[in-house]
Amino acid sequence: MSTAIKKMFVGLSLCACSSAFAAPFVINFANIESNGEFGDSANIVQLYQIGANSVITSFTFSGLLTAIPASFLSELTLTLTDSALSTGINYRPGIDDAFPGTASYTEFVDLTADNDSFAVGSDGILRLEFNELFDDFPGADGIWNFGTLTLEVEAPGQVPEPATGLLLGAGLAMMGYAGRRRKAAGKAAQRA
């Protein structure tokens, strides 16, 4: 086996050891009405325990939404915050659809790339509020028919899994062995 191929395997073994440590957190929703602007007591609020000081780095949304006539799909808003309402984001799946009706949306949002990632507090609670950008009339302005929100969550100071440590150790051992063989081969060539 050539030296270049051996180096490639060593490098790949080290790459296999790395991990982003982000874990998916899946939230399913069905038949949720959004009634008014953020903070309206009629809005549906859901709380999830995701771990103390965890950071939301990205998410994938997939769902079917309905805007009742006189309201627009662009107004349906999902607000993700910490329990103290001090940090978070507003997400509007149909942001470009200024018309009523029903539509399906699927989107990946990288919060880190946009500098919008945020941490929940020490209580570990993520707060979701299904709301409207504008309250067009009394009662429901829109319906989150069904869908899934998959969050990528990083816990602070995560420790790698044991398998990751083993792979890292194996990669380092292979590098040491390869260096030792190279050194021995160099000495043998000098003697000849």
Side-chain angles (χ1 to χ4, degrees):
M1 187 182 291
S2 77
T3 304
I5 292 175
K6 288 179 187 176
K7 287 181 182 178
M8 180 187 72
F9 282 126
V10 170
L12 287 175
S13 69
L14 290 174
C15 288
C17 296
S18 66
S19 173
F21 301 120
F25 189 89
V26 179
I27 299 170
N28 295 307
F29 60 87
N31 298 318
I32 296 179
E33 294 180 349
S34 53
N35 293 289
E37 295 176 13
F38 180 77
D40 188 312
S41 61
N43 288 337
I44 301 296
V45 174
Q46 298 178 343
L47 304 176
Y48 295 94
Q49 176 58 251
I50 63 169
N53 302 311
S54 291
V55 178
I56 309 296
T57 59
S58 64
F59 64 87
T60 302
F61 176 87
S62 180
L64 183 70
L65 310 180
T66 299
I68 296 168
S71 186
F72 295 154
L73 286 162
S74 60
E75 297 175 9
L76 276 81
T77 306
L78 177 59
T79 303
L80 296 86
T81 64
D82 62 353
S83 62
L85 306 178
S86 60
T87 184
I89 61 155
N90 289 312
Y91 173 62
R92 294 188 297 153
I95 194 166
D96 295 325
D97 296 339
F99 52 83
T102 300
S104 178
Y105 301 95
T106 300
E107 180 179 19
F108 172 77
V109 178
D110 185 357
L111 298 173
T112 305
D114 297 333
N115 291 324
D116 289 331
S117 60
F118 67 95
V120 297
S122 59
D123 61 3
I125 294 176
L126 173 68
R127 181 182 185 276
L128 302 183
E129 181 174 338
F130 296 84
N131 59 93
E132 291 285 321
L133 186 61
F134 301 106
D135 190 3
D136 297 305
F137 47 84
D141 289 7
I143 301 171
W144 301 72
N145 297 310
F146 61 86
T148 302
L149 178 67
T150 304
L151 305 166
E152 289 298 323
V153 179
E154 287 186 8
Q158 285 185 325
V159 177
E161 295 178 11
T164 302
L166 290 173
L167 281 171
L168 181 58
L172 291 172
M174 287 176 58
M175 286 177 44
Y177 177 72
R180 194 169 178 190
R181 282 191 55 178
R182 189 176 324 119
K183 189 175 181 180
K187 286 182 181 178
Q190 287 176 353
R191 281 189 232 140

